[in-house]
Amino acid sequence: MKNLFLILFCFLGASAFAQEEKVPVYFYPENNYILFLDAQGEKRQIAEVPRSFRYAADSESAKYAHAGSLEVVQQGEEFHISYSNSDAIFYLYSADEGKTWKQKQIDHIDNYTLKKYNYETGENLGISPDQKWMGLLHGCCLAVDEKGNPHIAYAISGGNYHYDAFLLYATKKNGKWSTEKVLTKEGFPKKYLGFVGIDVYPDGTPVIAVHSHEKVMTYRHYCHLLTKQGGRWKRIHSFNRNTGSLTMNVLLDGKERIHVIANTNDSLVHWVSNDKGRKWRESLLLKGMARSNSVLDKDGNIHLAGTNYLDGIYYGFWNGKWNIKKLEARPQMCHAGMVLSPKGKPHLSFFTEYHHPAEIKVYTPDDKGSWSFEVPIINE
């Protein structure tokens, strides 16, 4: 199972805004660096980040070259990247198509303490110096509003069911960063937080989804949907479901609909609300645990890329109803990324390191809807 939590690979088309036919480029973490891979397969370093003690040379995870959770958002010639090495959260920004970069550490795990609880009774055992992870196991999610302000959601947990956990939110406005705990100052006592998703309305109002579960006498799972209004966090809705999620996507379209795509009961499902979260409609997308990455086009349609154990690599499109295409069978799940060209053409990337050497594959459809590789496999 540890392979399932190692990295979240994200990709983006640096030149998609300029020339639709040009092959997208990729950003990905490797050892102490974040790398840029161009269309010709040439790599260059864009940032250096400390390597977590989790990936120290003598650690169990040291054999894995890629160690981080990374997400990218593109607006015109601007790139925004959120990154976690499990010890800290970083933000990277480029205003010139990735030629130059600014980097800032947003938060650090040492800013927080976690209480530990008795596994069966729930008794408070006091502050624990034991394991705690920031962002890496849970994703480090990023959205950018119309003014170009970044919004980052991430979690800190103790690694199992008998610790505290915090859902955290950081944003930059008027040139200054602020960080806060979501919902309550106490966070999520006796809970473990799984994957996180975030999107923002045009005015910058965030909507965050997070999977939580606890195992103190009972075993409960929830998908919480939260927003901030009037300076206070409120819970929009909680899905009391077995959302043991490898995926948590939140999408806010131009018709004031809220979309949540997540795993539940060993299936990938899509929840949509037309009334800001009071009523929900559910659609089953795929059987089996799945990873996915989704984007909205200018018309409010959803493009979905991902992999699961049963069907391998897939592409989904939603315009009121779903159409799922299976592209390639895979023996293991891999990490999916997607970007749309200015004309709405999807470019899908898939990354795996379950079978070394690591692979990066890119798919694109032709005018008739047939899918093919854009570039050959790139071995690390």
Side-chain angles (χ1 to χ4, degrees):
M1 288 294 292
K2 64 184 178 182
N3 283 345
L4 299 179
F5 300 104
L6 282 176
I7 52 174
L8 179 64
F9 169 76
C10 298
F11 104 116
L12 206 65
S15 58
F17 54 84
Q19 182 180 2
E20 184 175 16
E21 293 76 19
K22 198 168 183 179
V23 177
V25 298
Y26 311 87
F27 298 90
Y28 62 99
E30 182 179 76
N31 298 321
N32 290 27
Y33 305 101
I34 296 176
L35 300 177
F36 172 103
L37 179 66
D38 67 20
Q40 287 72 45
E42 296 182 4
K43 297 188 295 185
R44 63 182 175 89
Q45 175 188 325
I46 65 170
E48 183 174 1
V49 293
R51 189 164 188 169
S52 169
F53 72 91
R54 179 178 173 83
Y55 292 93
D58 58 351
S59 71
E60 175 64 23
S61 302
K63 60 185 177 181
Y64 298 102
H66 304 276
S69 169
L70 181 150
E71 188 157 339
V72 186
V73 171
Q74 176 186 1
Q75 286 189 331
E77 297 184 2
E78 298 181 349
F79 284 119
H80 304 259
I81 295 178
S82 63
Y83 177 75
S84 168
N85 65 351
S86 90
D87 294 343
I89 303 296
F90 301 89
Y91 170 72
L92 285 76
Y93 172 74
S94 173
D96 55 7
E97 302 181 26
K99 296 181 181 67
T100 60
W101 292 86
K102 295 181 179 179
Q103 178 181 351
K104 182 176 180 59
Q105 180 177 297
I106 304 303
D107 206 351
H108 195 278
I109 199 169
D110 289 344
N111 296 332
Y112 305 90
T113 57
L114 302 181
K115 295 178 182 177
K116 187 176 182 179
Y117 301 88
N118 182 282
Y119 187 73
E120 295 183 352
T121 66
E123 177 189 0
N124 184 350
L125 302 178
I127 300 297
S128 173
D130 296 347
Q131 58 182 335
K132 54 181 178 178
W133 316 114
M134 173 177 278
L136 177 60
L137 303 185
H138 321 281
C140 175
C141 300
L142 172 69
V144 180
D145 61 33
E146 286 190 343
K147 295 182 179 179
N149 296 316
H151 303 253
I152 303 176
Y154 51 101
I156 178 172
S157 290
N160 55 36
Y161 307 99
H162 44 285
Y163 290 84
D164 282 334
F166 296 113
L167 178 61
L168 300 163
Y169 168 73
T171 188
K172 184 181 181 182
K173 292 185 179 180
N174 300 319
K176 295 183 179 180
W177 280 94
S178 61
T179 302
E180 60 189 287
K181 296 175 182 176
V182 175
L183 195 60
T184 65
K185 293 181 179 179
E186 295 78 19
F188 292 79
K190 306 177 190 177
K191 291 180 175 63
Y192 175 81
L193 297 185
F195 275 71
V196 181
I198 186 173
D199 201 358
V200 292
Y201 287 106
D203 65 357
T205 300
V207 175
I208 300 175
V210 60
H211 160 232
S212 76
H213 52 124
E214 60 183 280
K215 196 173 183 180
V216 179
M217 298 299 291
T218 59
Y219 189 60
R220 292 187 290 264
H221 288 262
Y222 297 92
C223 172
H224 304 284
L225 202 62
L226 310 155
T227 191
K228 190 176 185 181
Q229 297 177 351
R232 294 185 177 182
W233 289 97
K234 62 176 288 187
R235 197 186 309 265
I236 298 174
H237 188 72
S238 290
F239 303 92
N240 186 3
R241 300 287 293 277
N242 182 24
T243 52
S245 192
L246 301 174
T247 286
M248 190 66 69
N249 299 162
V250 180
L251 299 164
L252 307 174
D253 64 27
K255 299 180 180 179
E256 296 191 352
R257 292 176 296 205
I258 304 174
H259 304 266
V260 179
I261 297 175
N263 286 114
T264 178
N265 297 326
D266 288 331
S267 298
L268 186 68
V269 299
H270 169 222
W271 291 305
V272 59
S273 173
N274 296 316
D275 56 6
K276 297 184 178 180
R278 289 184 289 273
K279 295 180 181 179
W280 294 85
R281 185 173 76 250
E282 179 180 322
S283 300
L284 173 65
L285 304 184
L286 290 168
K287 289 285 189 180
M289 295 293 283
R291 295 183 185 274
S292 68
N293 179 259
S294 55
V295 294
L296 284 169
D297 63 26
K298 59 182 177 59
D299 297 318
N301 304 315
I302 300 174
H303 298 258
L304 181 71
T307 61
N308 79 343
Y309 282 123
L310 299 179
D311 301 303
I313 294 172
Y314 65 87
Y315 165 75
F317 177 75
W318 181 88
N319 60 353
K321 63 179 181 179
W322 280 99
N323 180 18
I324 307 288
K325 293 183 178 181
K326 300 172 184 178
L327 304 183
E328 180 190 349
R330 301 286 299 179
Q332 295 270 5
M333 283 193 295
C334 52
H335 306 277
M338 177 185 293
V339 69
L340 299 180
S341 72
K343 295 182 180 180
K345 183 177 182 179
H347 297 270
L348 282 59
S349 75
F350 298 91
F351 172 87
T352 179
E353 63 174 359
Y354 295 117
H355 303 287
H356 292 281
E359 297 177 321
I360 300 174
K361 290 188 175 182
V362 187
Y363 286 91
T364 188
D366 60 25
D367 294 337
K368 297 181 181 180
S370 297
W371 291 82
S372 60
F373 293 123
E374 281 192 324
V375 296
I377 294 175
I378 299 170
N379 293 326
E380 296 297 322

